[in-house]
Amino acid sequence: MSAEAHNEHAADHHDDHHGDDHDHGSFKTYMIGFLLSVVLTAIPFWLVMTGVLPPQTTGLIITAFAVVQIIVHMIFFLHMNHKSEGGWNMLALIFTIVIVVIAVAGSVWVMYHLNTNMMPTHEMQTMG
């Protein structure tokens, strides 16, 4: 292929995304996502290090901040929304969330019932 033909071919196929028509983000959106991530990490870190709230409240707040940070990452870094890839990304996300909730809830349920149904140690000592 001659240099002219190669240049014409390159000019015809100048897109690097090969048919991807969704947004890949800009510097501004990446910086917004980064700053939100830093804030959403710094606040729980500060709560834990200072101990200003009771441990149970701190744990709930950390969990809420973690969920918000997951959403920030999906929007600003993974560019997931209801329009991307014809909605299949959102369907896959919903399926993943359902599976994770089932796995976590089932694990907590099993651990709770194992804890409540196990024989206490003081009863074992009186049996021997």
Side-chain angles (χ1 to χ4, degrees):
M1 181 182 277
S2 70
E4 269 182 28
H6 180 70
N7 289 339
E8 287 177 15
H9 181 73
D12 290 341
H13 296 80
H14 65 279
D15 63 339
D16 294 333
H17 305 296
H18 305 289
D20 292 343
D21 56 351
H22 57 276
D23 184 28
H24 288 283
S26 65
F27 182 75
K28 180 181 175 183
T29 59
Y30 282 116
M31 286 308 295
I32 291 170
F34 174 73
L35 292 175
L36 285 172
S37 296
V38 168
V39 169
L40 291 170
T41 301
I43 293 172
F45 184 79
W46 174 80
L47 285 172
V48 169
M49 295 304 292
T50 59
V52 295
L53 297 173
Q56 294 83 5
T57 307
T58 303
L60 290 174
I61 291 173
I62 289 172
T63 303
F65 272 83
V67 169
V68 172
Q69 193 167 60
I70 289 170
I71 293 168
V72 165
H73 282 242
M74 288 187 327
I75 292 170
F76 289 99
F77 299 122
L78 298 177
H79 312 292
M80 291 181 70
N81 57 30
H82 64 282
K83 293 184 273 185
S84 63
E85 305 215 8
W88 284 106
N89 279 346
M90 193 58 63
L91 187 63
L93 174 67
I94 291 168
F95 177 73
T96 302
I97 289 171
V98 168
I99 296 299
V100 168
V101 166
I102 290 171
V104 170
S107 298
V108 170
W109 181 75
V110 166
M111 288 186 288
Y112 172 78
H113 285 285
L114 281 173
N115 185 39
T116 57
N117 294 328
M118 289 185 67
M119 186 180 301
T121 56
H122 70 277
E123 288 182 21
M124 287 178 60
Q125 291 173 351
T126 60
M127 290 179 147

